[in-house]
Structures are given as C-alpha cells and as structure tokens.
Amino acid sequence: MSSFMQAAAEDLGIDLEIIYAERNHLVMVKEADEVLARKDLPDYLIVVNEKLAARKIIAKADEKGVKVFNLLLNFYGKQAEELGTPREKFKNWIGGLVPDNRWAGYHLAKALIKKAKEQGIAEKDVRLLPIAGDYATQATVLRDEGLAYARADYFNAEFFREIHCLWRRDMAFELVTKFINRDPDVNVVWAANDPMALGAIMGIEKSGLVPGKDVLVGGINWDEPALEAIKNGSLALSIGGHFMTGGWGLVMLYDYHHGYDFIEKDGPIIRKRIFSVIDDKNVDLFLRKFGSRDWGKIDFRRFSKACNNSVRDYDFSVRALLDS
C-alpha cells in the first residue's frame, strides 16, 4: 500500500507523508490529533476507519479546515447515521474510495466455479468449502455477503458451512486437513485471503490429494507466495489489487485539487471493483512487469483526468495497470 502510494505521489508531485498506527485505532486517533495540532497543516488527510475510529478524526479535521478522504473501509449503521453524507454535516470530509469487498467474495466463488467447469466438473458436482477470516471485520462480513450471492446464483452447487481461520495460514492448514479427512468430496476451496488459501493447499496435500487437480483453491490478496503458487499450478487464482486503493485515491485527490471533482460523476463515496483476477492466463505477464513490486514503472498521470484529457471514467483494473 505504502510503496504504491509513494510511486503515485512522485508521479503527481504530491508531498506525501505516511504515518503508521499498526492497525491500532487508539494510536491512529492520537497520531491524527498530533498532525492536526501542527502549525503547518496538511491540505488533505487520508484516513482508514479502523475499528470505527475515523469519525473523531473527521470531526476534528473539519474544525481545523483540513479536507479528509476516507480509504478502504466505509461507514455503517449508527456511525453512518451520525456522520451523514460527505460535504453535508462535515463540509471538509470530501469523500472516499472503498474497494468492493462484496464483489470480491462473489467473484472469487464465480471464478472458481468457472475453473471447475473448465476441468469437467459440472455445477451440480461442485463441493465448495469456504474459509472465512475473523467474525466481525468489514472485509469478512462483506466478502461473506458476496459468497452468499454466489450461493444463490449457483444453487446447484453444494456450499459447505464456512470455517473461520482468523486470516491465518497455520489455522487453515489444520482445519482444512480435518475437514477433508471427514469429507473428502470437497473439490473447491474459497479462501478470504491468500495465506489461508496457501494453508488450505498444505492441508490438501497432507490429505493425499493434489491441489489444482483434485481440489481447486482460490484466495484474495495477490501475495507474492500466492502468485508463485499460481505459476506452479497449486493455486487456481488470486483476486487482488485492493492494496492499490491508496494510490488511486491520490489520483482522485490530485484531480479534485485541480478542479476535477469526482463527486460530479460518481458521488462522494466511490465503491470500485478494484479487485481483479490473476490466474494462469495472466500471472506470467503480471510477474514480468511487476514481480519486483517496482510501481515506479507505472505512469500514474495516465489515470488522472487533470493530466489526461481522454480519461472519462476512472479505470483502476489490472488490465489498465498492465497497459500503463
């Protein structure tokens, strides 16, 4: 996330400062308070709604006249009611960019079932085991909702009850091994992140089955070990790209700063299907271009409306990324 943002900032001439709170919501609020107490305030503050802590930051930044842009996580329930819509109650909260985790969960199931069909497994013969993360975070809830949509669309397939592995590879290895020993008919594994997908592959192998042949496994993240597993055939696919959200957010803020307000086209909170599929068809191309994670190869100005008159709608897909 940070290196992708930095590459975007360098292309766009943005003075970017990244402060780490280590996913601790109390530290995040404290760090934001210190920034907002500075003599020289930033033009924009990008915040993540970690454990619902962003509301306090939005309110204080609004008082200070600092424009706020929320990233990655949206607002729900009572907090959403209290905040309202950006630019209404808090005029300096200008909007946000949120990857569509619901779509990611749905598309992961859809892509896996499509792969199964390509291998000659009819929909009625699909036995899909879902591996969820924790029990409460937005990523878990929304990806599970996407999986529920897939259950409705692919009603001939059998979806087992999900197991929660807390985003951990070791726990996925342990629980998948036990599950397959109990029910060896599993032939598809849907994993809410790549570490759990890789743990599932280990469990499949320990059970005497061949991942990629006997059982198709898919994950979410585009982690480097996962992309290598796609190359060797043990992982069917990985859906990812959401770590790029910060860089794309900077493109939108750059355009906003130069008079191209994203609200005119998409509204203040933009939920984008930033997630894309990497599988055996495009993994070599992706690794050839970005295996080194050198995001400086990308010309971020090509994605900006202020820099590129041909841009009408923001396209943050993997295809657009590779074309750049």
Side-chain angles (χ1 to χ4, degrees):
M1 175 76 79
S2 297
S3 59
F4 196 82
M5 288 184 78
Q6 193 61 58
E10 289 171 6
D11 272 6
L12 298 169
I14 295 171
D15 181 9
L16 175 69
E17 177 186 0
I18 301 175
I19 298 172
Y20 297 94
E22 304 297 339
R23 304 197 76 168
N24 184 319
H25 61 294
L26 299 176
V27 173
M28 190 176 78
V29 172
K30 177 177 175 290
E31 293 284 1
D33 284 347
E34 291 177 1
V35 168
L36 293 170
R38 293 176 183 175
K39 180 181 178 181
D40 295 319
L41 293 170
D43 297 303
Y44 300 93
L45 192 62
I46 297 176
V47 297
V48 177
N49 191 29
E50 196 70 56
K51 295 184 180 175
L52 305 180
R55 186 201 179 285
K56 296 177 182 177
I57 300 173
I58 288 172
K60 183 162 285 189
D62 190 65
E63 292 176 6
K64 292 280 188 173
V66 176
K67 290 180 169 55
V68 184
F69 188 83
N70 66 283
L71 200 66
L72 290 172
L73 302 175
N74 214 342
F75 302 92
Y76 294 91
K78 183 178 179 182
Q79 188 185 45
E81 293 176 11
E82 292 175 353
L83 283 168
T85 304
R87 310 191 195 189
E88 292 183 348
K89 182 178 179 181
F90 299 104
K91 301 297 183 184
N92 289 303
W93 174 31
I94 61 171
L97 179 62
V98 180
D100 193 340
N101 274 291
R102 190 180 288 111
W103 184 87
Y106 172 81
H107 205 70
L108 176 58
K110 179 180 178 180
L112 282 168
I113 292 172
K114 181 182 178 183
K115 290 277 188 188
K117 289 179 179 178
E118 290 172 358
Q119 290 195 5
I121 302 172
E123 183 181 317
K124 65 181 179 62
D125 297 321
V126 169
R127 304 287 182 269
L128 188 148
L129 172 64
I131 307 176
D134 52 25
Y135 292 87
T137 61
Q138 282 186 37
T140 286
V141 171
L142 293 173
R143 290 174 193 178
D144 285 0
E145 287 180 5
L147 178 65
Y149 291 145
R151 289 177 191 265
D153 278 1
Y154 299 97
F155 54 86
N156 288 319
E158 181 179 353
F159 287 71
F160 294 103
R161 184 175 180 179
E162 64 191 20
I163 57 175
H164 289 264
C165 294
L166 306 181
W167 309 110
R168 287 169 45 188
R169 181 172 180 163
D170 60 337
M171 188 174 291
F173 164 63
E174 179 184 342
L175 294 183
V176 168
T177 302
K178 290 179 180 177
F179 195 98
I180 290 178
N181 288 338
R182 188 171 70 247
D183 198 328
D185 291 335
V186 172
N187 52 21
V188 176
V189 173
W190 175 103
N193 77 348
D194 283 343
M196 294 190 298
L198 295 173
I201 287 171
M202 293 167 57
I204 291 162
E205 290 173 335
K206 186 174 182 181
S207 302
L209 300 174
V210 180
K213 182 180 178 183
D214 299 319
V215 186
L216 294 175
V217 183
I220 296 176
N221 264 18
W222 288 1
D223 288 348
E224 290 182 58
L227 299 186
E228 290 301 322
I230 292 172
K231 274 184 66 69
N232 69 36
S234 59
L235 185 68
L237 59 98
S238 177
I239 289 182
H242 49 306
F243 69 88
M244 300 176 180
T245 307
W248 302 138
L250 286 181
V251 170
M252 291 167 57
L253 287 178
Y254 179 87
D255 287 352
Y256 173 89
H257 196 75
H258 289 86
Y260 294 81
D261 194 344
F262 50 85
I263 196 173
E264 296 170 1
K265 178 71 178 178
D266 299 304
I269 298 287
I270 300 174
R271 182 179 286 106
K272 278 278 188 183
R273 294 177 177 178
I274 291 172
F275 296 94
S276 300
V277 174
I278 289 182
D279 58 12
D280 56 342
K281 297 180 179 67
N282 60 1
V283 66
D284 286 330
L285 177 60
F286 184 86
L287 288 174
R288 188 163 65 248
K289 292 198 174 189
F290 298 117
S292 64
R293 293 301 202 263
D294 179 8
W295 309 117
K297 295 177 180 179
I298 301 166
D299 179 5
F300 285 89
R301 295 173 67 85
R302 285 184 56 175
F303 296 90
S304 162
K305 294 178 181 180
C307 300
N308 185 351
N309 291 332
S310 65
V311 176
R312 295 290 179 267
D313 297 311
Y314 289 119
D315 183 359
F316 301 145
S317 66
V318 67
R319 179 174 298 175
L321 182 73
L322 292 170
D323 288 346
S324 75

